[in-house]
Structures are given as structure tokens and as C-alpha cells.
Amino acid sequence: QVQLVESGGGWVQPGGSLKLTCTISGRTGGSRAMGWFRQTPGKEREFVARIRWSTGFSRVADSVKGRFTVSADNAKNTVYLEMNMLKPEDSAVYYCASGTTVGPATKIDEFDSWGQGTQVTVSS
């Protein structure tokens, strides 16, 4: 059983930055990939970024490429999402997820454990 806890959300003006943190605990041995997704009311949960523990290989969605960076601290069982140059359309609840997949790990179905989410609001 795996537990994930996100933190770091809040309010920021357009162009600002936030850093989200996700800590995984419990039976973490099966976790291969960590993902960040976001969701707004009435919308589907969408992929933002992911990283693999074993290689550190990361991928980000086109919508945030060049602005967001995902990283991991394996020793601390923690992943981060550094968000820069934030836009109003980035406002959402951001979720951290863990998966056992060896695939691309960019889809919701590839993750089996989820955090509760942290709210990010970007507005003037």
C-alpha cells in the first residue's frame, strides 16, 4: 500500500512560481514512475509531468514545456514540480500519482495510487 501527500499549492499572480512537493510512503518498492496531473472542475484530469525513479528520465506536457520541471529525490521518496511563468490556465488541483508501469506513464490508467491534490490558483 502506498500513500502520497502533495503540498506547496497556493495562490500566485501570473508569471509567478510555485514548487509542489509529493512524498510517497508505505510499500514503495513497486513504484516505478511518479506523475503529476491536474484537474479543473468539469474537466478531465490531464497529464502534466512524470519522472522515473530508476533513471530520472522525465517528461512534461507540451502545455507546460519550458515552464515546469519535474525532479525526484530518491533518498527522500519525494518528487517535485517546479512551476515557473505560471498562467491563469495553469490553475487547477494538482495531483501526485505513483505507478508500476514500464510504459510512457502519461495516462491516468498507468497510475494506481494518488494523492489528495493541492490547489494552485493563478490570477491577478
Side-chain angles (χ1 to χ4, degrees):
Q1 190 173 32
V2 174
Q3 298 83 44
L4 302 98
V5 179
E6 307 98 332
S7 63
W11 174 86
V12 66
Q13 292 185 321
S17 300
L18 284 174
K19 186 175 183 179
L20 306 184
T21 298
C22 174
T23 299
I24 182 173
S25 62
R27 299 179 65 86
T28 62
S31 179
R32 293 174 179 267
M34 297 290 290
W36 287 99
F37 292 76
R38 65 187 183 187
Q39 186 171 26
T40 56
K43 303 289 186 179
E44 296 291 327
R45 191 169 297 186
E46 66 173 336
F47 169 76
V48 176
R50 74 103 168 89
I51 190 167
R52 292 194 175 277
W53 294 112
S54 60
T55 64
F57 183 78
S58 64
R59 186 184 301 275
V60 299
D62 289 342
S63 59
V64 302
K65 187 177 179 63
R67 300 186 297 119
F68 289 15
T69 301
V70 62
S71 61
D73 186 335
N74 293 39
K76 296 182 180 296
N77 290 325
T78 300
V79 297
Y80 306 93
L81 183 67
E82 180 70 40
M83 305 183 294
N84 301 304
M85 300 176 65
L86 283 161
K87 305 175 180 179
E89 52 262 45
D90 294 319
S91 297
V93 176
Y94 283 71
Y95 296 90
C96 177
S98 172
T100 60
T101 182
V102 297
T106 59
K107 298 180 179 179
I108 294 174
D109 290 347
E110 295 180 277
F111 296 86
D112 47 34
S113 299
W114 295 82
Q116 294 299 305
T118 185
Q119 177 71 51
V120 172
T121 302
V122 185
S123 69
S124 299

